[in-house]
Amino acid sequence: KKIYEYIKEFIIENEKELIFLLGFYVFMTYPLPYYILVSGGTIDVSDRVEIVGEYEQKGSFNLAYVNELKGTFPTVVLSHIIPSWTLYEESDFGFDETENTEDIDARDKLSLIESQQNSVKIAYEAAGKEFKINNTTYYIYYIYDFVKEYSDLKVGDKIISYDGIKLEDVKLYKEYVNSKNVDDEIEIEYLRNDKLKTTKLKVYEEENEKYTGIMVYTIYDYETDPEIKFAFRESEGGSSGGLTLALAIYNKLTKEDITNGLKIVGTGTIEPDGTVGAIGG
């Protein structure tokens, strides 16, 4: 009771100051539809990748990155003052104007996972090491704007089944959709935050091709020998480190140290067939 009375008295005596502090906090942290890219640095891949029995190296492979700040009043103002801070509208990072920060961040996380798996496949093949697909999962990569009008699906949701059929191959799903009539509904079972949910998607048709208004990301879970583990942070995302990551994994798997004692920094994506692409953003 004494503590309650003390707090009550403190609030009454400092009411104006507390209201000001609350208003100032809201002003400083209120989200705005912008991203600000600022100077980043490098990450030694050894800090993010661990392989059982890996070979030592004298040099290092490093991922190049930029820091991405969320838009707030202070960061937007500073982007107009500091030359190296670049301001982008949120829509520049999305596929359309309906996408928000949550969609963009979820896709970045998926891109990082896909990049890891591509790098594992390429590096283990090149090093002659064993790996096999242990499991395949499918995630929502993009949702057409008209689907959002009636469905709660979000980027990053894990698709489990359609009309009670387990999703095991995207091609089979497309064939199933094409067997339906326009405006038919397909029940989708999906996982979000470890909670199982369902929704229904309508069948549309355009240029003699039927679709349900979603794009899916295929993520492969590889079982490798030797075992590999990743330790990327929650704040890290994107596919631009794929090339360097593949080189670093390969170097850990082979006796020859291809760093030659140098600090190597690189960027660029990598595809499952080894094709190297431009940075992701």
Side-chain angles (χ1 to χ4, degrees):
K1 186 177 180 180
K2 288 182 179 180
I3 293 174
Y4 169 77
E5 292 295 333
Y6 173 79
I7 293 174
K8 181 179 179 181
E9 183 179 350
F10 177 82
I11 292 174
I12 294 173
E13 291 178 353
N14 299 276
E15 182 179 3
K16 292 182 179 180
E17 290 83 356
L18 292 173
I19 292 174
F20 171 78
L21 288 173
L22 179 61
F24 183 73
Y25 173 79
V26 171
F27 172 77
M28 295 292 286
T29 60
Y30 186 80
L32 297 176
Y34 297 99
Y35 283 100
I36 297 90
L37 297 188
V38 305
S39 300
T42 61
I43 300 171
D44 188 337
V45 177
S46 296
D47 296 333
R48 300 290 186 272
V49 179
E50 181 181 338
I51 300 177
V52 175
E54 63 185 52
Y55 288 96
E56 292 185 6
Q57 57 186 25
K58 294 182 179 179
S60 63
F61 279 102
N62 300 264
L63 306 175
Y65 70 91
V66 294
N67 283 314
E68 187 178 272
L69 306 179
K70 299 295 174 62
T72 61
F73 286 106
T75 57
V76 170
V77 170
L78 287 171
S79 71
H80 292 285
I81 299 172
I82 303 175
S84 62
W85 286 32
T86 309
L87 179 71
Y88 291 94
E89 293 187 9
E90 191 176 75
S91 58
D92 293 334
F93 285 75
F95 282 177
D96 61 50
E97 64 278 357
T98 67
E99 289 204 315
N100 55 32
T101 303
E102 186 179 351
D103 297 325
I104 297 165
D105 289 348
R107 189 160 45 242
D108 271 352
K109 296 293 185 296
L110 289 176
S111 296
L112 176 60
I113 296 172
E114 185 194 43
S115 176
Q116 292 172 10
Q117 301 312 311
N118 290 347
S119 300
V120 168
K121 179 179 182 295
I122 294 301
Y124 273 69
E125 282 182 341
K129 301 297 182 179
E130 294 184 13
F131 76 97
K132 64 179 181 179
I133 297 175
N134 200 31
N135 191 31
T136 305
T137 51
Y138 302 90
Y139 295 88
I140 296 292
Y141 180 72
Y142 172 66
I143 305 169
Y144 285 72
D145 54 355
F146 50 80
V147 175
K148 296 177 182 178
E149 296 175 3
Y150 64 86
S151 174
D152 185 46
L153 277 176
K154 293 183 179 180
V155 175
D157 286 340
K158 179 181 177 180
I159 304 299
I160 304 298
S161 66
Y162 54 96
D163 282 349
I165 304 169
K166 185 179 179 181
L167 179 58
E168 296 180 324
D169 191 325
V170 175
K171 291 181 180 179
L172 294 178
Y173 174 72
K174 289 181 178 179
E175 291 176 3
Y176 184 80
V177 173
N178 277 304
S179 71
K180 295 292 183 178
N181 296 317
V182 174
D183 291 332
D184 281 354
E185 291 184 335
I186 298 175
E187 185 173 85
I188 301 295
E189 189 177 43
Y190 64 98
L191 203 63
R192 181 190 301 163
N193 298 327
D194 295 327
K195 292 183 179 180
L196 205 58
K197 301 187 175 199
T198 59
T199 188
K200 291 185 177 181
L201 296 178
K202 295 179 182 178
V203 176
Y204 302 87
E205 186 172 17
E206 186 175 322
E207 298 180 357
N208 297 321
E209 187 74 22
K210 293 175 183 176
Y211 62 99
T212 51
I214 60 172
M215 293 174 63
V216 178
Y217 232 175
T218 304
I219 301 294
Y220 300 101
D221 178 24
Y222 291 122
E223 182 180 328
T224 63
D225 185 17
E227 183 181 358
I228 183 172
K229 292 182 179 180
F230 293 99
F232 283 90
R233 296 174 181 172
E234 184 65 27
S235 60
E236 296 169 344
S239 59
S240 295
L243 168 61
T244 312
L245 189 59
L247 289 167
I249 294 172
Y250 173 81
N251 202 42
K252 286 173 175 280
L253 292 171
T254 55
K255 189 173 183 179
E256 180 188 2
D257 182 6
I258 61 174
T259 68
N260 288 313
L262 301 175
K263 178 179 180 179
I264 301 168
V265 184
T267 186
T269 63
I270 197 162
E271 300 298 324
D273 63 357
T275 301
V276 174
I279 62 172

